[in-house]
Amino acid sequence: DTAVSQTPKYLVTQMGNDKSIKCEQNLGHDTMYWYKQDSKKFLKIMFSYNNKELIINETVPNRFSPKSPDKAHLNLHINSLELGDSAVYFCASSQGRWAFFGQGTRLTVV
Amino acid sequence: GQQVMQIPQYQHVQEGEDFTTYCNSSTTLSNIQWYKQRPGGHPVFLIQLVKSGEVKKQKRLTFQFGEAKKNSSLHITATQTTDVGTYFCAGSSSNTGKLIFGQGTTLQVKP
C-alpha cells in the first residue's frame, strides 16, 4: 500500500482552466503539506494542515486553495491556471518528525 | 524569514570519488533532516540529526550537525552510480515548526 498517494500523476491543461490535485495518506499522520518543485528542483512549501486546520500558508496566490475534508486527505484546487504554475506538486505528511512524500503531480500549463 | 542554503547546486564526480554537500541555516535549528530524490522520483527521508555536534553514519554516507545547530553536511565515500540524485537538507526551527528545504545538490556519477 502506498503511504502517501496523489492523483493524477500527470496533468496537462490550458491556461485559464481550473484543476484539482488529490492527496491521501494512510499513515495516520496529523500533518499534511503541499510543496511546489520548480524546474530547478527547488522545493517550496505552500501549505500545511494539522488535523484539518490550516497552520502554514506561505505567500501563494489566492488562486491556490487547499481543502482538508479529514486529516487523511489534503486536496489542492487551482483556479485560472497560468504558465508559471507549471511544476511538480508534492503532497507530504508527517507526525512531528520527518516527512513522507507522495509521488508528485507534474502539472504542465500550455 | 528562515532560510536554508545548500551548496554546491551541482556536482559531477567519477565513480569512486568522494562527495560532500553543505547546508547552512540563517537561524538555529531544532533538527536537520536529509532527503534523497532520484531522477523522476520523490524526496525520500534519509536521516534526522537533533543534537549539537551529532555525527551519524549510514554505510558510505556520513551526516554531521554543527555545534551551533546552524549547519550540516552529508559526505559520501567512494560514490557509486546508485548515488545519483538530488540531496536535500531540510531544517525546522522550534519557533515555527516549519520544515524548510535547501535548494538541493544534484549529484552525477560517471561510471
Side-chain angles (χ1 to χ4, degrees):
Chain A
D1 278 346
T2 305
V4 182
S5 59
Q6 289 178 235
T7 54
K9 191 170 181 184
Y10 300 97
L11 187 52
V12 181
T13 188
Q14 289 189 323
M15 273 195 308
N17 283 351
D18 304 339
K19 289 292 176 187
S20 292
I21 308 172
K22 295 187 175 183
C23 179
E24 176 182 3
Q25 55 99 359
N26 63 6
L27 298 165
H29 289 167
D30 286 334
T31 307
M32 294 185 73
Y33 310 85
W34 278 109
Y35 282 87
K36 179 181 179 181
Q37 186 172 49
D38 60 25
S39 57
K40 293 185 177 179
K41 297 199 178 295
F42 183 52
L43 269 169
K44 183 174 164 57
I45 190 167
M46 300 173 71
F47 302 103
S48 174
Y49 270 72
N50 186 276
N51 226 339
K52 302 192 296 177
E53 283 193 32
L54 180 66
I55 55 169
I56 294 173
N57 183 352
E58 289 297 290
T59 311
V60 176
N62 56 17
R63 298 182 294 104
F64 290 79
S65 51
K67 275 206 177 127
S68 183
D70 55 63
K71 75 172 195 176
H73 295 84
L74 180 61
N75 304 323
L76 184 65
H77 187 76
I78 316 169
N79 288 328
S80 304
L81 278 155
E82 300 176 356
L83 292 176
D85 297 332
S86 295
V88 180
Y89 292 84
F90 284 102
C91 175
S93 74
S94 75
Q95 190 62 18
R97 301 179 76 183
W98 51 87
F100 289 77
F101 283 80
Q103 303 291 322
T105 296
R106 182 173 293 277
L107 171 65
T108 304
V109 183
V110 297
Chain B
Q2 180 188 359
Q3 288 187 3
V4 177
M5 309 297 291
Q6 198 174 342
I7 55 168
Q9 190 174 356
Y10 299 99
Q11 185 86 57
H12 295 248
V13 299
Q14 199 72 39
E15 191 172 21
E17 290 181 341
D18 293 355
F19 159 77
T20 305
T21 172
Y22 300 91
C23 185
N24 286 288
S25 169
S26 57
T27 59
T28 302
L29 301 169
S30 57
N31 67 74
I32 191 109
Q33 300 171 13
W34 285 92
Y35 294 77
K36 178 182 178 181
Q37 183 177 16
R38 293 182 188 275
H42 60 281
V44 175
F45 172 78
L46 293 176
I47 207 160
Q48 176 173 275
L49 303 170
V50 178
K51 298 176 187 173
S52 168
E54 189 169 13
V55 178
K56 285 189 177 179
K57 290 192 174 188
Q58 286 180 351
K59 297 183 181 177
R60 295 177 294 104
L61 277 61
T62 301
F63 304 85
Q64 290 190 321
F65 200 11
E67 294 288 342
K69 299 184 77 172
K70 293 179 78 171
N71 56 62
S72 181
S73 65
L74 157 59
H75 179 82
I76 303 179
T77 304
T79 54
Q80 300 175 359
T81 54
T82 52
D83 295 326
V84 162
T86 301
Y87 293 85
F88 292 95
C89 62
S92 68
S93 68
S94 50
N95 291 341
T96 65
K98 190 164 60 173
L99 193 60
I100 303 295
F101 280 79
Q103 302 97 315
T105 297
T106 298
L107 173 64
Q108 299 275 14
V109 179
K110 289 178 264 188

